Amino acid sequence: MTGRDGGAAFREMWRELAPLGRHPASGGYRRFAWTRADADCRAWFRGQAEARGLVHETDRNGNQWAWLGDPRAGDAVVTGSHLDSVPDGGAFDGPLGVVSAFAALDELRHRGAEFTRPLGLVNFGDEEGARFGLACVGSRLAAGRLTREQAHLLTDADGITLPRAMEAAGYDPETIGPDPERLARINAFVELHVEQGRSLDRTGDPLGIASAIWPHGRWRYDFRGEANHAGTTLLADRRDPMLPYAETVLAARREAELAGALATFGKVAVEPNGVNAVPSLVRGWLDSRAADAATLDTLTAAVEHAAREHAERAGVALDVVRESFTPVVEFQHALRDELARILGDEGAGGDPGRPVPVLATGAGHDAGILSASVPTAMLFVRNPTGVSHSPAERATEQDCVAGVAALADVLEGLACR
């Protein structure tokens, strides 16, 4: 046995990564794709890889890889997640999986484990989609779920295209595209992630195994009215797009409750965006998720129907565009069962008589995008508040260290003697 254990490694790396991209006023993170904060995180990843003697590379889509062993040999086991964030996001969503990947490797070296397969650690680029509006850009490109042409059309709020942002960060956008040869070398991908809910907290379990990811998507609603003076235009003479937008937000909540699903208008843009002006345009983005495709279709159709009724009543035009959609993801049962078997030797919370719980999630992940190309699985670490995409996101150090140990057990079972 050599080196430090996984718990000590985790604590040290967590302290080092914590300041990068943190906004002093909100306390949250603004690690957006191809920005300075993103570059700092990428430099941190490379430094961790090189400090462990791993071979570091950045693929054609900007995803970072760190390899122990020769990936060209095939049959590799890969773990990791992402380092970017939503606006003012929490510390754990994504980074927990990346830090835990390095810490799990340290734990296995501490145990003296002998690897029989190549081991890869990965930081997927632009998972959250905070800058260009599409989630999981790096993994979508690699898996062929996003074409080069589609990616080149992505634009941020300042009108900067993805190619221009990549060039400014020192990357070549002309090389992006599907990477089937790389994915064909991977035998299994396991992503550790903080739970974005309270299922584990309610059952008292520090860890869980993912069964599936709900189908989910993003729809853009453009309500187009007529700009006018707020102080002189009679209410009866207005074509105010804010009214049907507000009604649609309320309708989405009602329909989601009826369907037992989720619907959120979390982003809105208004033109001309003046305090004393009736808007000409209100653009809102709907995020909707459900346990199955039929329920999701019913929910989103009901929201759109309500929006069109309210828009017509207000004399406002409406365009609805589906910007992204991810169908239900059932993680490979054989790999999921293998994780349950490996972790079942210890049991949930160290109790051999208590199986590790298996649960579904409504949140999308790189593991879900890759699942059609690579056998994938996920581990969840308990979140005591259930809060995520917020500075209030939490996981205890004890549970994080338990997650490192569990990931090390899984990697040992999959990649070692």
Side-chain angles (χ1 to χ4, degrees):
M1 302 202 333
T2 60
R4 58 187 174 175
D5 63 58
F10 177 88
R11 286 185 283 269
E12 180 179 327
M13 285 186 287
W14 198 252
R15 287 193 299 270
E16 292 176 358
L17 185 61
L20 304 185
R22 191 168 192 173
H23 192 265
S26 70
Y29 289 89
R30 300 182 181 181
R31 297 166 172 164
F32 307 145
W34 310 115
T35 63
R36 174 59 185 271
D38 183 50
D40 290 344
C41 289
R42 289 171 175 274
W44 176 89
F45 182 94
R46 179 168 188 160
Q48 296 298 325
E50 292 176 347
R52 290 166 174 79
L54 307 180
V55 176
H56 174 270
E57 60 177 339
T58 302
D59 68 21
R60 62 192 300 178
N61 297 308
N63 304 310
Q64 287 181 283
W65 302 80
W67 290 102
L68 177 67
D70 184 0
R72 293 170 298 180
D75 211 28
V77 175
V78 177
T79 187
S81 190
H82 63 95
L83 292 173
D84 66 309
S85 77
V86 299
D88 290 323
F92 294 84
D93 182 353
L96 180 63
V98 176
V99 174
S100 296
F102 284 115
L105 172 58
D106 289 350
E107 173 63 26
L108 289 175
R109 284 174 161 172
H110 180 71
R111 296 178 186 178
E114 297 182 27
F115 287 86
T116 56
R117 289 175 170 169
L119 176 68
L121 284 63
V122 64
N123 167 35
F124 284 109
D126 200 6
E127 194 271 354
E128 295 290 5
R131 183 173 181 185
F132 298 102
L134 180 65
C136 301
V137 170
S139 56
R140 283 182 191 272
L141 284 168
R145 300 277 293 274
L146 177 68
T147 67
R148 176 177 173 275
E149 292 72 24
Q150 290 169 330
H152 276 219
L153 293 175
L154 294 175
T155 306
D156 70 8
D158 296 320
I160 299 173
T161 64
L162 174 64
R164 184 176 158 197
M166 290 183 70
E167 285 179 332
Y171 293 83
D172 183 2
E174 298 304 317
T175 66
I176 63 175
D179 203 353
E181 291 183 2
R182 179 181 298 273
L183 297 187
R185 301 170 186 161
I186 300 174
N187 177 269
F189 172 63
V190 180
E191 182 174 5
L192 180 144
H193 205 278
V194 67
E195 189 196 359
Q196 294 168 292
R198 289 191 59 206
S199 295
L200 294 174
D201 185 63
R202 290 190 181 99
T203 60
D205 295 296
L207 300 167
I209 298 172
S211 60
I213 297 175
W214 283 10
H216 55 279
R218 296 178 181 182
W219 289 258
R220 192 186 76 236
Y221 280 64
D222 292 346
F223 296 88
R224 300 182 186 276
E226 181 180 54
N228 221 322
H229 197 297
T232 62
T233 311
L234 296 177
L235 295 181
D237 292 341
R238 298 184 181 195
R239 293 174 52 227
D240 185 351
M242 188 64 76
L243 300 180
Y245 171 70
E247 294 280 8
T248 302
V249 173
L250 296 175
R253 174 59 180 258
R254 288 193 299 270
E255 296 296 339
E257 288 177 339
L258 290 172
L262 301 170
T264 307
F265 277 96
K267 179 180 177 181
V268 61
V270 181
E271 296 178 8
N273 204 28
V275 174
N276 59 349
V278 177
S280 60
L281 169 68
V282 175
R283 175 171 286 151
W285 282 265
L286 171 68
D287 179 297
S288 192
R289 304 161 192 248
D292 58 78
T295 302
L296 183 62
D297 289 343
T298 300
L299 169 58
T300 54
V303 175
E304 181 173 344
H305 178 74
R308 294 197 180 282
E309 284 192 336
H310 293 303
E312 183 178 359
R313 193 155 42 241
V316 169
L318 172 63
D319 294 320
V320 180
V321 178
R322 190 179 79 175
E323 291 191 335
S324 68
F325 177 74
T326 302
V328 64
V329 173
E330 285 278 351
F331 289 113
Q332 190 194 65
H333 289 197
L335 181 57
R336 187 184 71 194
D337 293 346
E338 180 65 5
L339 263 63
R341 184 196 66 77
I342 293 169
L343 298 179
D345 291 341
E346 293 294 329
D351 181 357
R354 187 177 181 183
V356 177
V358 178
L359 59 150
T361 178
H365 300 282
D366 291 311
I369 298 297
L370 296 179
S371 64
S373 307
V374 173
T376 59
M378 290 191 71
L379 294 174
F380 291 127
V381 172
R382 176 169 49 192
N383 180 339
T385 66
V387 174
S388 189
H389 284 187
S390 159
E393 188 174 78
R394 291 286 181 272
T396 68
E397 183 178 288
Q398 181 178 358
D399 285 352
C400 290
V401 172
V404 170
L407 181 60
D409 290 341
V410 166
L411 298 177
E412 187 170 20
L414 297 176
C416 301
R417 286 194 177 92

